[in-house]
């Protein structure tokens, strides 16, 4: 679905597009039922979200990173699976039903379990939970024999003018691979061949820090092996992705677009070396340009659209936004197109609007655990280093969400996600060289840091970045390049004590 009636030629930080005829298009938040802020509220918000310069004690309220939606820290792997701390009793039931659908194992058609059939025919996992294990981070395969169920390769080829979206300035045209579509699936239902097997090899690089400590970084090489439907297009671009953690998504969705755009500085006008840019995407649901918020390159505008695209691409489940019963099957995969699908009953699609809404509600209300040890002297010293080295230029500490008429859990909360939700050039070391909407092959959305210190507890590993190449928080920092090269170099030069303090701060989030 491509727009053709509006030519948008520039994006202003006010939250509007300037049109060719001089009119403006308010990018806005059409997915939210917003109660506008008063001037007094705007002034209060500016004051409460201003960067602190006092590191002798925790900033007021930062121990509750999700505001009233913050949850107590569980000591189990379920720490990311609790509902928003301010959810009502009635809505907690909807949360639990949504959780059931999130965990449900889909089966192939035809099946006697009509409410659960429609899997595939090609897929990456049989449920949402199989990728987002315990609602936390996925991981790359541990060994060549391990499956890659929480990781896959996106794929596309360079597009033509017809593949672009003229309504979005600087949109980079891509097209699906003619044979394999936009995502490679490594599983298939009986009678069909899977598309590939993910093959990863690593080459180690030793980085020596200022105190003499050596850190090994692993450089991955990805290969789509055992292709089931012939060769890839010669210009195919592959991008590895692990499933990100799920907490706090509804609060990120409720940040005013104008507040995110106000932090954009595409031309580095302030001269700090940071050039955050918004990803602007075309919303299938709202049929207009919207701010991209979700996905590792901010390629989806809302939780509902992100959930719908995952149903279609990851599991092969048709839904109200992506209605093809064959999921990601292409026209060159004739047997897949002709297979029996699960959309021939009263549901209309394999997951209906009610089911999609319940999964969206569940995803929107996964609670963010409270901070740990925010007042510890070492953590406070690490916070000072984080702020003073300029990490907050991308990892913006706090926002206040919209006041919302129908989402009390997300309404008018002071939150501490440590992300600006913008795209940044992270240098050639982290580049996937595959564009997505306005994001170039070297740009990634700043990931939220809340909950990052609980990764080992929840997910059973400490793998970070878009493809899990970093095996520790320190390795993740040392992979920073491009706009973040000065911050990375500053960490290399830290004393042993200060480096430990920085890591302690990150682990407290």
């Amino acid at each position: 679905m491509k727009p053709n009636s509006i030519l948008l030629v520039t994006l202003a930080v006010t939250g509007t597009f300037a049109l060719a005829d001089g009119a403006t298009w308010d990018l806005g938040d059409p997915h939210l039922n917003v109660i506008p802020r008063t001037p007094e509220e705007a002034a209060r918000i500016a004051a409460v979200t201003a960067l602190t310069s006092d590191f002798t004690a925790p900033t007021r309220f930062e121990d509750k990173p999700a505001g009233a939606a913050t949850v107590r820290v569980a000591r189990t792997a379920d720490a990311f699976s609790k509902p928003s701390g301010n959810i009502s009793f009635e809505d907690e039931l909807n949360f639990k039903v949504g959780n059931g659908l999130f965990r449900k194992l889909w089966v192939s058609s035809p099946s006697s379990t009509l409410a659960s059939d429609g899997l595939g025919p090609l897929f990456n996992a049989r449920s949402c939970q199989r990728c987002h294990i315990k609602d936390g981070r996925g991981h790359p395969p541990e060994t060549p024999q391990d499956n890659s169920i929480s990781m896959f390769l996106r794929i596309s080829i360079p597009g033509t003018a017809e593949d672009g979206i003229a309504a979005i300035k600087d949109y980079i045209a891509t097209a699906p691979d003619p044979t394999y579509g936009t995502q490679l699936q490594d599983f298939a239902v009986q009678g069909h061949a899977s598309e590939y097997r993910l093959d990863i090899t690593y080459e180690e690089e030793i980085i020596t820090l200022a105190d003499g400590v050596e850190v090994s970084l692993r450089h991955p090489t990805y290969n789509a092996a055992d292709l089931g439907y012939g060769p890839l297009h010669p210009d195919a671009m592959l991008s590895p992705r692990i499933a990100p953690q799920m907490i706090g998504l509804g609060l990120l969705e409720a940040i005013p677009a104008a507040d995110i755009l106000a932090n954009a500085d595409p031309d580095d006008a302030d001269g700090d070396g940071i050039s955050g840019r918004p990803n602007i995407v075309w919303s299938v649901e709202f049929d207009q340009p919207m701010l991209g918020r979700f996905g590792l390159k901010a390629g989806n505008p809302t939780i509902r659209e992100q959930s719908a695209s995952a149903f279609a691409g990851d599991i092969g489940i048709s839904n109200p936004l992506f209605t093809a019963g064959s999921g990601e099957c292409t026209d060159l995969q004739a047997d897949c197109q002709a297979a029996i699908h699960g959309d021939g009953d009263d549901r209309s699609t394999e997951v209906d609007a009610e089911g999609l809404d319940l999964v969206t509600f569940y995803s929107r209300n996964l609670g963010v655990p409270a901070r740990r040890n925010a007042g510890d002297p070492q953590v406070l010293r690490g916070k000072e280093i984080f702020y003073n080295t300029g990490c907050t230029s991308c990892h913006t500490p706090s926002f206040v969400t919209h006041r919302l008429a129908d989402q009390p859990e997300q309404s008018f909360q002071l939150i501490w996600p440590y992300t600006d939700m913008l795209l940044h050039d992270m240098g050639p070391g982290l580049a996937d060289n595959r564009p997505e909407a306005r994001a170039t092959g070297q740009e990634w959305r700043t990931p939220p840091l809340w909950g990052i210190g609980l990764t080992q507890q929840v997910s059973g590993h400490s793998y970070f970045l878009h493809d899990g190449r970093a095996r520790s928080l320190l390795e993740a920092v040392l992979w920073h390049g491009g706009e973040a090269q000065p911050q990375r170099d500053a960490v290399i030069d830290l004393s042993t004590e200060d480096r430990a303090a920085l890591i302690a701060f990150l682990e407290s989030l």
Side-chain angles (χ1 to χ4, degrees):
M1 186 180 299
K2 294 188 178 71
N4 52 29
S5 60
I6 303 173
L7 295 179
L8 308 175
V9 296
T10 188
L11 174 65
V13 297
T14 58
T16 61
F17 280 113
L19 308 182
D21 60 2
T24 59
W25 174 288
D26 184 4
L27 199 61
D29 296 300
H31 59 297
L32 300 172
N33 190 358
V34 174
I35 300 172
R37 290 175 176 172
T38 66
E40 293 77 16
E41 285 177 338
R44 286 168 50 207
I45 290 167
V48 79
T49 58
L51 291 179
T52 185
S53 58
D54 179 8
F55 304 101
T56 61
T59 304
R60 192 180 183 193
F61 304 125
E62 73 170 315
D63 60 326
K64 292 180 169 46
T70 304
V71 298
R72 292 183 179 181
V73 182
R75 296 184 178 182
T76 68
D78 293 323
F80 287 175
S81 300
K82 308 299 181 185
S84 299
N86 55 351
I87 198 169
S88 69
F89 178 80
E90 293 78 13
D91 278 338
E92 189 169 351
L93 177 60
N94 290 328
F95 177 88
K96 290 177 178 178
V97 175
N99 183 23
L101 290 170
F102 193 83
R103 297 167 62 92
K104 181 168 76 167
L105 294 175
W106 294 83
V107 298
S108 58
S109 300
S111 170
S112 60
T113 56
L114 296 181
S116 298
D117 71 347
L119 175 68
L122 303 175
F123 60 97
N124 294 106
R126 290 181 57 198
S127 74
C128 306
Q129 184 77 209
R130 288 287 181 93
C131 289
H132 301 278
I133 305 162
K134 292 292 186 180
D135 305 298
R137 298 174 187 274
H139 61 84
E142 297 279 4
T143 67
Q145 292 73 41
D146 190 12
N147 66 47
S148 56
I149 198 166
S150 60
M151 183 179 190
F152 63 82
L153 295 176
R154 291 209 182 278
I155 181 173
S156 57
I157 63 173
T160 65
E162 293 181 355
D163 301 307
I165 297 183
I168 300 176
K169 185 178 183 291
D170 296 330
Y171 191 92
I172 304 171
T174 61
D177 181 278
T179 302
Y180 291 95
T182 61
Q183 182 171 322
L184 288 168
Q185 284 93 10
D186 50 353
F187 292 100
V189 301
Q190 187 174 7
H192 296 265
S194 62
E195 289 187 321
Y196 85 123
R197 175 180 57 82
L198 177 60
D199 181 60
I200 312 174
T201 57
Y202 294 102
E203 182 178 345
E204 300 285 344
E205 175 193 7
I206 300 299
I207 303 295
T208 303
L209 308 183
D211 61 356
V213 170
E214 293 185 343
V215 180
S216 181
L217 303 184
R218 56 179 187 173
H219 291 253
T221 298
Y222 297 96
N223 179 44
D226 300 337
L227 291 167
Y229 298 87
L232 303 175
H233 188 281
D235 296 325
M237 301 175 287
L238 300 175
S239 179
R241 307 290 176 88
I242 62 168
Q245 64 184 32
M246 297 285 293
I247 58 173
L249 298 184
L251 295 164
L252 298 176
E253 186 180 53
I255 299 171
D259 288 3
I260 295 171
L261 296 172
N263 288 328
D265 186 15
D267 300 318
D268 192 21
D270 61 6
D272 67 352
I274 305 298
S275 304
R277 302 191 314 124
N279 203 357
I280 309 300
V281 301
W282 189 262
S283 170
V284 172
E285 181 177 9
F286 292 95
D287 196 31
Q288 69 175 67
M290 289 182 65
L291 175 68
R293 297 174 186 254
F294 302 107
L296 293 163
K297 286 184 181 258
N300 267 307
T302 67
I303 299 170
R304 190 169 189 263
E305 198 157 326
Q306 175 77 15
S307 300
S309 63
F311 265 123
D314 299 354
I315 315 177
I317 297 296
S318 63
N319 58 77
L321 298 187
F322 302 96
T323 57
S326 55
E328 264 275 299
C329 298
T330 67
D331 291 341
L332 295 180
Q333 295 169 328
D335 289 344
C336 184
Q337 290 280 5
I340 298 174
H341 304 300
D343 52 3
D345 52 35
D346 292 340
R347 293 171 296 171
S348 179
T349 52
E350 290 162 341
V351 64
D352 59 15
E354 182 180 14
L356 179 60
D357 288 344
L358 284 165
V359 170
T360 301
F361 185 83
Y362 171 75
S363 302
R364 181 180 292 140
N365 280 287
L366 283 163
V368 179
R371 282 280 304 279
R372 286 85 53 212
N373 307 316
D376 180 88
Q378 184 186 39
V379 169
L380 290 170
R381 173 58 183 157
K383 177 183 175 182
E384 182 177 13
I385 294 166
F386 187 88
Y387 278 56
N388 289 344
T389 56
C391 299
T392 56
S393 296
C394 299
H395 291 283
T396 303
S398 60
F399 289 93
V400 172
T401 61
H402 270 305
R403 198 182 286 279
L404 301 173
D406 54 358
Q407 291 178 218
E409 301 87 1
Q410 289 82 43
S411 180
F412 209 59
Q413 300 298 321
L414 171 61
I415 62 173
W416 300 78
Y418 283 90
T419 174
D420 61 5
M421 302 289 283
L422 297 172
L423 300 171
H424 294 275
D425 185 335
M426 297 301 293
L430 286 179
D432 67 348
N433 299 310
R434 177 185 177 272
E436 185 174 337
R438 298 179 78 236
T440 70
Q442 290 194 175
E443 288 182 316
W444 299 95
R445 185 204 65 165
T446 305
L449 297 182
W450 51 14
I452 199 168
L454 295 172
T455 299
Q456 179 69 51
Q457 175 181 315
V458 171
S459 302
H461 64 76
S462 57
Y463 298 139
F464 301 101
L465 301 178
H466 66 279
D467 57 0
R469 70 178 67 185
R471 294 160 292 192
S472 68
L473 289 172
L474 178 57
E475 284 188 35
V477 172
L478 296 178
W479 270 108
H480 283 50
E483 296 174 39
Q485 184 74 32
Q487 287 71 33
R488 180 252 196 194
D489 293 345
V491 171
I492 288 177
D493 291 337
L494 289 176
S495 68
T496 305
E497 182 180 21
D498 280 351
R499 187 172 66 248
L502 175 63
I503 298 302
F505 166 70
L506 294 174
E507 290 176 342
S508 77
L509 296 178

